[in-house]
Amino acid sequence: MIRTTTLALAISLFTSACTRSSDRPQPETTPTATPDAAQSPAASAPAPSPSGEPGESLAGAAAAAPAAEAAPAAPVAPAAPAAPAGPIPAPITGAVAIVGGATSPIAFDEPVTVDPAVRFQVDVAAPLVDARLALVDSGDAMISAVESHEIGATWSRFTLTPDAPLRPGSTYSLKLDGAAEREAHDADGRAYQITVWHIRTTGEAPPPEQPAARPKKKRR
C-alpha cells in the first residue's frame, strides 16, 4: 500500500515538472544559410544575351551582329608629274675631222689642229631630234657651212662642211647644241648638255686687214 502511494506520488511530480518545462518560452533560432541556399538564382543563372537566349555570351552576340559598313575611301589625288631632270652629257660615240679621205679624231680636253679645208662628223648614241652641229670663230661669229644630220631609232649622225676653207692659224669652236633651244633633246624629251670641241687650223695667220685709206680732200 505504501509502495503504491509512493510510486503514484513520483509519477505525479515528474508529470508536473515536464508540464512546467514545456510552458517556458523557447529562444528563437536564426537558420544558418547553407552554401547552396545562399547562392541566389540570379547569381548562378547565366547573364541574358542581347538576343534573349540564355547561355549566349556578349562576345558571341557581338560577333553575330552585322558588321558596320566601311566608310568609302577618299579619292586619291593623281600624283604630280615628276620634274624633268637636268641636262645630261651627250653620249658621243665618235667625233672626227675629215680632210680629203683622211679622218682624225678630235678630243674634248685639248685643242685639235686641223687643216683649213676640213669638215667634221659627230656620232651620238641617242636620237637627238632637235640638235645641230655649228662652228664659230674666236669672236663667236657663226661660220657659214652646210650642216646635215641623220637620225635613227637609237643614234644620230651630224656632219658640217664649211662653205670655204677656214682661216689659217686661227681658233674655232665646234658645238653640238640645240637648234631651237640651248640644249638638244631626244625623242623622249630628255635634254643634253652642249658639247664643245676646240679647233685650231694649221698655217700662219694672215696679217690683219688694214682699213682702206680715205681719199684726201682737195684744197680749193
Side-chain angles (χ1 to χ4, degrees), residues 74-144:
V76 179
I88 62 175
I92 306 296
T93 56
V96 295
I98 305 172
V99 178
T103 62
S104 58
I106 53 178
F108 301 98
D109 52 355
E110 60 184 14
V112 178
T113 302
V114 299
D115 189 87
V118 68
R119 59 190 180 95
F120 302 97
Q121 177 178 300
V122 174
D123 294 328
V124 186
L128 303 184
V129 296
D130 63 350
R132 68 172 181 177
L133 192 62
L135 187 68
V136 297
D137 62 15
S138 57
D140 206 29
M142 187 80 69
I143 301 301
S144 178

Side-chain angles (χ1 to χ4, degrees), residues 28-101:
E28 295 182 1
T29 59
T30 302
T32 303
T34 62
D36 294 340
Q39 184 176 5
S40 64
S44 60
S49 65
S51 60
E53 296 295 333
E56 184 179 357
S57 64
L58 292 177
E69 294 184 1
V76 179
I88 62 175
I92 306 296
T93 56
V96 295
I98 305 172
V99 178

Side-chain angles (χ1 to χ4, degrees), residues 143-165:
I143 301 301
S144 178
V146 175
E147 190 267 347
S148 62
H149 56 268
E150 301 174 66
I151 300 175
T154 58
W155 57 272
S156 303
R157 169 171 288 182
F158 301 87
T159 58
L160 182 139
T161 305
D163 291 343

